[in-house]
């Protein structure tokens, strides 16, 4: 059961990081093509995030043990939930404006997207450390 999470995270991470960087760069550098392409990828990443989080909880409840990495598991979980909240809120913000943010909203939106990209990378790094540092899910501790 814990193997569903590692299978899904690749899609969330790839779409959120690529899409977020592209959309934010498009907004900040006024490149409409980048902004539109990035927005589609970011939406795909946000859609993958919900099942990734659900699979994360399944993994947490089904691995043999945390091998002393319990605090890092909790941090990883909290960051994952903040990520889901942040990207869901950004999607709602855009949806509220029928998919087109007013020009004066865009710089703040871009900064929050970049913060989300950074948090995605930190969360993914911690996830990798759980497996390759503590052996969670791959050893019997
Ligand atoms: C918030 C709920 C989450 C929980 C409870 C959770 C829990 C876990 C657990 C228990 C592991 C190690 C065991 C295993 O999967 O085999 C893990 C690994 C991992 N998680 Fe999460 N996670 C969550 C969200 C996320 C999110 C949102 C991301 C991506 C941004 C992510 C990225 C990763 C990565 C990259 C790994 C390492 C996978 C591998 O290389 O095997 N997690 N997570």
């Amino acid at each position: 059961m814990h193997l569903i999470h590692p299978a899904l995270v690749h899609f969330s991470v790839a779409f959120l990081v690529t899409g977020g960087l592209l959309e934010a760069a498009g907004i900040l550098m006024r490149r409409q093509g980048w902004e539109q392409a990035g927005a589609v990828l970011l939406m795909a990443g946000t859609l993958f995030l919900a099942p990734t989080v659900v699979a994360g909880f399944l993994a947490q409840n089904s691995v043999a043990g945390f091998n002393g990495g319990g605090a890092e598991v909790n941090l990883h979980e909290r960051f994952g939930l903040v990520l889901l909240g942040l990207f869901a809120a950004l999607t709602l913000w855009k949806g509220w404006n029928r998919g087109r943010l007013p020009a004066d909203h865009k710089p703040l939106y871009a900064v929050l997207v970049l913060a989300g990209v950074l948090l995605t990378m930190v969360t993914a790094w911690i996830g990798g450390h759980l497996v390759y540092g503590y052996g969670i899910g791959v050893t019997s501790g």
Side-chain angles (χ1 to χ4, degrees), residues 7 24 67 95-96 113:
N67 302 335
W96 187 260
V113 166

Side-chain angles (χ1 to χ4, degrees), residues 28-66:
L28 299 172
M29 297 165 75
R30 297 178 196 283
R31 304 285 286 262
Q32 216 185 359
W34 294 6
E35 187 182 336
Q36 286 170 348
V40 173
L41 294 174
L42 193 65
M43 182 56 65
T46 305
L47 288 175
F48 266 102
L49 204 47
T52 298
V53 165
V54 172
F57 281 109
L58 287 175
Q60 195 169 329
N61 292 332
S62 57
V63 290
F66 297 152

Side-chain angles (χ1 to χ4, degrees), residues 93 97 101-110:
W93 184 5
N97 290 282
L101 286 178
D104 60 334
H105 288 199
K106 284 190 178 185
L108 177 61
Y109 174 87

Side-chain angles (χ1 to χ4, degrees), residues 1-10 12-13 16 48-50 52-63 65-66 73-84 116 119-132 135-138:
M1 192 56 93
H2 73 94
L3 295 178
I4 300 171
H5 184 59
L8 285 174
V9 289
H10 296 87
S12 306
V13 172
L16 291 174
F48 266 102
L49 204 47
T52 298
V53 165
V54 172
F57 281 109
L58 287 175
Q60 195 169 329
N61 292 332
S62 57
V63 290
F66 297 152
V73 170
N74 288 338
L75 186 66
H76 180 67
E77 175 194 320
R78 258 179 240 134
F79 280 6
L81 290 173
V82 170
L83 262 185
L84 184 61
L119 190 60
T120 301
M121 294 194 290
V122 173
T123 305
W125 186 88
I126 296 173
H129 193 241
L130 297 180
V131 178
Y132 298 99
I136 295 174
V138 289

